[in-house]
Every structure is written in structure tokens, then in C-alpha cells.
């Protein structure tokens, strides 16, 4: 593991209020949108100069009464969908920002996440564990599910546009069949809140992050229980993104963004600048050559050269295969030291009882997991 932070000299862009979410355009690599706690949406362009990069705010507008918690773009890139703490869903033109349609009270509690299934269908999840399917052309939801007793942290759709994965604060991975509008299976309870999930290894694995800093891995179509775990961080993982089939990045509670290799599992490096607050958002461009994440303050986003990060990662893996026995055991010793540091930090964190009550924050109370039997079967 590299102790120093890599790629921490990329451009930054600052906003008037805290950024809660971000999403790249599905076909234009240098365009992304950012959602703020104030309810504003910002259209950002990445400018590649001859000697340096920069970011410019092309448009800003107030789109919600409360914070913009999640953003999605339709596969054709023509429409932006936002969900908010104000319980609404809004669909706008990407080019003009003009409203296309809206659901003022889409859920009975604040909406926490969304997933675009196709150009007409999306899924949303709220703070009370409800998941809903929507067709933009209809006024009412296509389906509603309530199989989780705590907040829905993330929704991810497989390439087949049929399988919808959801993670929740109760510690379960729940899978739905979008076409049949039915629950497919729900995993056993994990040891802590699941905060995010991504599909990796060419669709054969699912990785889920937790508030305890552990990654859980599931085999595809074997979602009943995890197949592997990787206790990689001493602090909680807030968000998770995939750069390639063996390289992921995590945004953590300690304000750091980390690059990790999977299969084999290894922490590669801390990347970008360290934030003073937990990493609220991570987003990768459609070609995965750009990575956007929270920067030194919650109001700032930083651009990380993930193209170069992928090159560095691959070089590191090649060198690792050529190591002799001495360097192998030296690396084992280094990893043991790192694990000891993680354990020490976990011990320190467990003794902390700090309360961060702030009326302007978007942080939500999380209930402890409840014992619950597995639902459904394949």
C-alpha cells in the first residue's frame, strides 16, 4: 500500500453549498451534473487544455426545495432525473434544464437514491425501506416494494435491465425482477449497514460496502449469502465506484478516497485530496477516465485522473507478479502493519461518542439491524 496520496493535484471547483450527489453524462465524458444540499443542480464541463485541466460551471438552477440526494441520466443522455429529501422526483431536459415531468410526493418519506433502468423506467428508494418502480409516461408507480426495515442506500441495475439490486441500512442485499415486478431474493442479514453496491468481474460478482469499512462479495445468482469479505478500511465506506473489472474506488467516512484491487484484494493507494468531512459523492465518466469526488471541503469537488490511475494500477500488478520471495514476505509484513493500524483505529472509533447534530446537514439516523429471515429464493 502506498501511504502518500496519488493524483492530488487535479483541478477543483467550489460551489455555494455542500454537494450531495453527482453523475456523469452517459455519452459525453467531460460533462457531469452535481446536486447540492440547497436544492440546486449544477451543470459542469471539464476542459482539457494543452498543459492543464479545469472545470467550469455551465448552468445552475434551483430544482428542489431540499437537498438533491441522487441524480440519474437516461441512457440516451437527453433527460436528467433528480430525487430529493423533499420526497419528489423531477425529470428535466439535459440541454435546457426545462421541466418535463414531476412527481411532487413520490414517496411518503425522503428519497435517498435512484437507478435508471432504461429511457422510460427508473427505480427509487427511500429512508423507510420502500422501493418503487416508475414509468415517466405514467402518473402512478408501476410497482412498490417494502422488504427492508431501514433506509435504502443504493440501487443498481444489471446490464440485462431486468435485475435490480438494492442495499439497505438493515444490512441486506435485496434483488428484484423489474419485468415481473417481483422480489427475487433477499440475503441473510450482514453485520452492519450496507451503504452501496456495484457489479464487477464481468457480471459474475457483486461487491457491497458497509459502514464498518468491510467489503462483502456475492456470487452472481447466489445472493443468499456472501462468498467473501475484505476488511479494508478502519472507517465506514460512504460510496463505491468501479473503474475496471479489477479496480474499484471507495469514498470513506474519514474523508479519503482509496483505490483497491479486487481478486486479489488489496488496497493500492489513497487518491486525490483528503476531505475534512466524509466523502459524500463519487462519480466516474462513461469511459472511466475521469473520477469526480468530494474534495477538501463539502462544497468542493475534485477531478482525479482515473485513466492514469488505471495505468498505475496495472503496472503495479505486473510488478507484483515478478516479486521474489523476499519482497513477497516484506509486503506481507507491511500489510500486517497496515491491518494493525486499522484495528487500532477501529478500537479508537468505538470509544468515540461524538454527536454531530446540525439542522443544515442531510445526515439521517440509522436504526440497528434487526434479525430477519431470508426472503424469496432463486
Amino acid at each position: 500500500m502506498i501511504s502518500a496520496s496519488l493524483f492530488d493535484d487535479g483541478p477543483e471547483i467550489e460551489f455555494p453549498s455542500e454537494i450531495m450527489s453527482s453523475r456523469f453524462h452517459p455519452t459525453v465524458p467531460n460533462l457531469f451534473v452535481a446536486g447540492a444540499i440547497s436544492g440546486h443542480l449544477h451543470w459542469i464541463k471539464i476542459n482539457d487544455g494543452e498543459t492543464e485541466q479545469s472545470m467550469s460551471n455551465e448552468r445552475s438552477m434551483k430544482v428542489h426545495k431540499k437537498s438533491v440526494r441522487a441524480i440519474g441520466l437516461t441512457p440516451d443522455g437527453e433527460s436528467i432525473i433528480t430525487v430529493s429529501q423533499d420526497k419528489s422526483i423531477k425529470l428535466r431536459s439535459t440541454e435546457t434544464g426545462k421541466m418535463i415531468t414531476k412527481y411532487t410526493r413520490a414517496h411518503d418519506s425522503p428519497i435517498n437514491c435512484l437507478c435508471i433502468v432504461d429511457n422510460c423506467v427508473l427505480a427509487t428508494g427511500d429512508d423507510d425501506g420502500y422501493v418503487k418502480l416508475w414509468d415517466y409516461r405514467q402518473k402512478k408507480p408501476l410497482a412498490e416494494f417494502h422488504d427492508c426495515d431501514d433506509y435504502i442506500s443504493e440501487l443498481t441495475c444489471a446490464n440485462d435491465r431486468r435485475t435490480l439490486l438494492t442495499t439497505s441500512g438493515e444490512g441486506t442485499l435485496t434483488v428484484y425482477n423489474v419485468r415481473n415486478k417481483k422480489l427475487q431474493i433477499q440475503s441473510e442479514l450482514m453485520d452492519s449497514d450496507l451503504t452501496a453496491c456495484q457489479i464487477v468481474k464481468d457480471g459474475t460478482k457483486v461487491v457491497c460496502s458497509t459502514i464498518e469499512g468491510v467489503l462483502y462479495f456475492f456470487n452472481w445468482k447466489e445472493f443468499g449469502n456472501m462468498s467473501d469479505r475484505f476488511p479494508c478500511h478502519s472507517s465506514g465506506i460512504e460510496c463505491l465506484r468501479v473503474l475496471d473489472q479489477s479496480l474499484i474506488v471507495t469514498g470513506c467516512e474519514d474523508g479519503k478516497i482509496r483505490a483497491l484491487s479486487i481478486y486479489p484484494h488489496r488496497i493500492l493507494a489513497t487518491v486525490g485530496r483528503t476531505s475534512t468531512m466524509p466523502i459524500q459523492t463519487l462519480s466516474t465518466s462513461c469511459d472511466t477516465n475521469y473520477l469526480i469526488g468530494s474534495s477538501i471541503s463539502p462544497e468542493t469537488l475534485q477531478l482525479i485522473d482515473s485513466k492514469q490511475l488505471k495505468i498505475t494500477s496495472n503496472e503495479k500488478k505486473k510488478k507484483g507478479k515478478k516479486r521474489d520471495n523476499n519482497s513477497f514476505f516484506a509486503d506481507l509484513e507491511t500489510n500486517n502493519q497496515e491491518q494493525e493500524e486499522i484495528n487500532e483505529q477501529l478500537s479508537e472509533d468505538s470509544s468515540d461518542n461524538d454527536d454531530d447534530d446540525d439542522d443544515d446537514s442531510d445526515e439521517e439516523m440509522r436504526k440497528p439491524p434487526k434479525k430477519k429471515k431470508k426472503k424469496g429464493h432463486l
Side-chain angles (χ1 to χ4, degrees):
M1 179 180 173
I2 303 171
S3 57
S5 182
L6 300 179
F7 310 110
D8 59 355
D9 56 354
E12 293 181 303
I13 185 167
E14 188 171 0
F15 301 89
S17 59
E18 183 178 346
I19 297 300
M20 305 298 298
S21 54
S22 61
R23 184 69 63 181
F24 270 90
H25 193 282
T27 60
V28 183
N30 67 334
L31 179 65
F32 70 94
V33 284
I37 196 170
S38 62
H40 286 81
L41 192 65
H42 307 279
W43 281 251
I44 310 300
K45 183 181 180 182
I46 299 171
N47 307 297
D48 287 316
E50 293 183 2
T51 58
E52 61 181 13
Q53 295 174 319
S54 64
M55 292 185 285
S56 56
N57 194 339
E58 301 295 301
R59 179 190 294 120
S60 296
M61 64 171 59
K62 179 89 171 178
V63 297
H64 287 281
K65 295 178 181 178
K66 296 183 179 180
S67 63
V68 181
R69 286 187 170 182
I71 305 169
L73 286 93
T74 52
D76 58 16
E78 293 184 0
S79 301
I80 298 174
I81 300 93
T82 55
V83 297
S84 171
Q85 188 183 6
D86 65 16
K87 308 172 186 176
S88 68
I89 304 171
K90 296 186 178 180
L91 180 73
R92 296 177 179 274
S93 165
T94 304
E95 184 177 358
T96 65
K98 184 179 179 181
M99 180 86 72
I100 298 173
T101 188
K102 64 178 179 179
Y103 302 92
T104 304
R105 194 176 177 85
H107 284 249
D108 292 330
S109 60
I111 306 173
N112 197 46
C113 53
L114 71 84
C115 175
I116 306 300
V117 177
D118 58 34
N119 282 325
C120 296
V121 178
L122 80 152
T124 54
D126 68 25
D127 284 358
D128 286 335
Y130 283 86
V131 173
K132 294 186 180 183
L133 296 176
W134 304 84
D135 187 320
Y136 318 144
R137 300 162 296 186
Q138 300 181 22
K139 294 182 179 181
K140 295 182 179 181
L142 298 174
E144 178 179 311
F145 310 101
H146 190 212
D147 299 291
C148 301
D149 293 334
D150 212 332
Y151 67 97
I152 304 299
S153 55
E154 186 158 38
L155 300 162
T156 301
C157 189
N159 288 334
D160 61 10
R161 301 297 174 185
R162 176 184 299 177
T163 308
L164 180 68
L165 310 176
T166 74
T167 50
S168 74
E170 71 173 10
T172 54
L173 173 66
T174 309
V175 184
Y176 295 101
N177 187 307
V178 175
R179 293 186 183 177
N180 295 336
K181 305 178 183 65
K182 291 182 179 180
L183 171 72
Q184 186 170 322
I185 191 172
Q186 186 175 67
S187 75
E188 299 288 354
L189 275 171
M190 301 297 107
D191 294 334
S192 65
D193 302 30
L194 299 187
T195 57
C197 65
Q198 292 290 313
I199 300 170
V200 294
K201 304 302 289 184
D202 296 316
T204 63
K205 301 282 184 180
V206 173
V207 56
C208 299
S209 57
T210 73
I211 61 169
E212 291 186 351
V214 179
L215 293 176
Y216 291 132
F217 295 87
F218 294 80
N219 293 325
W220 191 256
K221 291 190 176 181
E222 296 177 7
F223 302 117
N225 208 342
M226 64 178 176
S227 61
D228 193 11
R229 68 192 300 272
F230 179 30
C232 48
H233 301 326
S234 60
S235 61
I237 302 171
E238 299 287 331
C239 39
L240 177 68
R241 290 293 176 263
V242 177
L243 292 182
D244 63 31
Q245 295 305 314
S246 299
L247 182 64
I248 62 174
V249 285
T250 57
C252 301
E253 194 176 24
D254 62 5
K256 293 181 179 180
I257 300 170
R258 294 177 174 89
L260 294 87
S261 167
I262 55 174
Y263 295 100
H265 306 330
R266 187 182 182 192
I267 302 172
L268 298 177
T270 299
V271 297
R273 301 173 180 86
T274 298
S275 174
T276 57
M277 299 287 286
I279 301 297
Q280 294 277 15
T281 183
L282 282 177
S283 185
T284 55
S285 59
C286 56
D287 57 8
T288 69
N289 287 337
Y290 294 123
L291 172 67
I292 285 292
S294 305
S295 190
I296 54 175
S297 71
E299 299 82 21
T300 309
L301 290 178
Q302 60 179 315
L303 177 65
I304 297 171
D305 186 352
S306 52
K307 180 180 181 180
Q308 188 59 42
L309 175 59
K310 288 184 288 184
I311 294 173
T312 302
S313 170
N314 289 331
E315 290 175 350
K316 192 173 181 64
K317 290 175 185 176
K318 290 178 182 178
K319 289 180 180 178
K321 292 178 181 179
K322 297 178 181 179
R323 289 178 302 182
D324 58 23
N325 288 337
N326 290 334
S327 63
F328 173 76
F329 286 112
D331 191 54
L332 277 181
E333 183 179 351
T334 301
N335 286 337
N336 287 335
Q337 292 174 353
E338 291 164 3
Q339 189 61 52
E340 288 177 4
E341 291 175 1
I342 290 175
N343 292 337
E344 288 176 5
Q345 185 62 44
L346 284 171
S347 178
E348 292 174 5
D349 291 345
S350 65
S351 63
D352 290 341
N353 293 311
D354 295 336
D355 251 340
D356 295 328
D357 293 330
D358 188 347
D359 291 338
D360 293 330
S361 74
D362 196 54
E363 195 170 335
E364 306 293 338
M365 296 249 332
R366 290 168 172 168
K367 297 187 291 185
K370 299 178 180 178
K371 290 297 177 184
K372 184 177 180 181
K373 293 184 178 179
K374 180 172 63 176
K375 299 180 181 179
H377 55 84
L378 283 173

